[in-house]
Amino acid sequence: KTQVEQSPQSLVVRQGENCVLQCNYSVTPDNHLRWFKQDTGKGLVSLTVLVHENDKTSNGRYSATLDKDAKHSTLHITATLLDDTATYICVVGDRGSALGRLHFGAGTQLIVIP
Amino acid sequence: DMKVTQMPRYLIKRMGENVLLECGQDMSHETMYWYRQDPGLGLQLIYISYDVDSNSEGDIPKGYRVSRKKREHFSLILDSAKTNQTSVYFCASSSTGVNSDYTFGSGTRLLVI
């Protein structure tokens, strides 16, 4: 059973618009949550990591929130650029060490059009 | 420049042939991983290596084995490849701790015919 669900599955926005990506999970324990960006044909690049209850992070035009009670995270992208076209993957870690496992969502495919 | 390098980038093999996927990292990370990525699914863990000759099965180890004789190299071996092993394979490495970053390679696209 999939333990990390992302929505929407795909999303098309115009350059300059804002967008919000959602991640719901059932992983227990949920030590931390990461968002990755995967360009087509490339590897995953870490955008941010959230650790604490009600954590919020900001990395340039990317900002993320985590609600551990609801087991829910959002990734906000502000003023999208064409280069934001990629798949965004939500990942939940069940421990804070290498002994833990990462649980991957299937990703949201974002397409930014001119 | 910190990176994980995977070779080859693309590979076509016939069913029953042996396959060797190579991965190297230049960050002296202790932990390395092999994942596969299939359409519509999240990455699935095949094997994890905690250091030289310290390897553990992941969630889908069947049909695969690994080798780590040096900290910077981690190999994935498919003995007698099967068509359902057609996939994109990613290697990754990490140092320990929550705030340490995971570094992924660019992937090897394997087609088994």
Side-chain angles (χ1 to χ4, degrees), chain A residues 4 6 23 33-36 73 88-92 103-105 107:
Chain A
V4 180
Q6 292 187 242
C23 177
L33 186 145
R34 298 172 183 267
W35 284 95
F36 286 90
S73 176
Y88 292 83
I89 298 175
C90 174
V91 183
V92 180
H103 302 264
F104 290 77

Side-chain angles (χ1 to χ4, degrees), chain A residues 28-85:
Chain A
T28 300
D30 52 345
N31 180 273
H32 61 279
L33 186 145
R34 298 172 183 267
W35 284 95
F36 286 90
K37 178 185 179 187
Q38 184 180 27
D39 291 317
T40 301
K42 298 289 179 65
L44 282 67
V45 175
S46 180
L47 294 175
T48 192
V49 57
L50 302 112
V51 179
H52 306 294
E53 174 66 41
N54 295 321
D55 221 357
K56 294 180 182 178
T57 62
S58 181
N59 179 7
R61 293 179 299 102
Y62 301 103
S63 60
T65 66
L66 174 62
D67 181 344
K68 282 196 172 185
D69 277 346
K71 291 188 178 291
H72 177 74
S73 176
T74 60
L75 178 68
H76 298 247
I77 307 176
T78 304
T80 52
L81 303 172
L82 297 178
D83 283 348
D84 292 333
T85 294

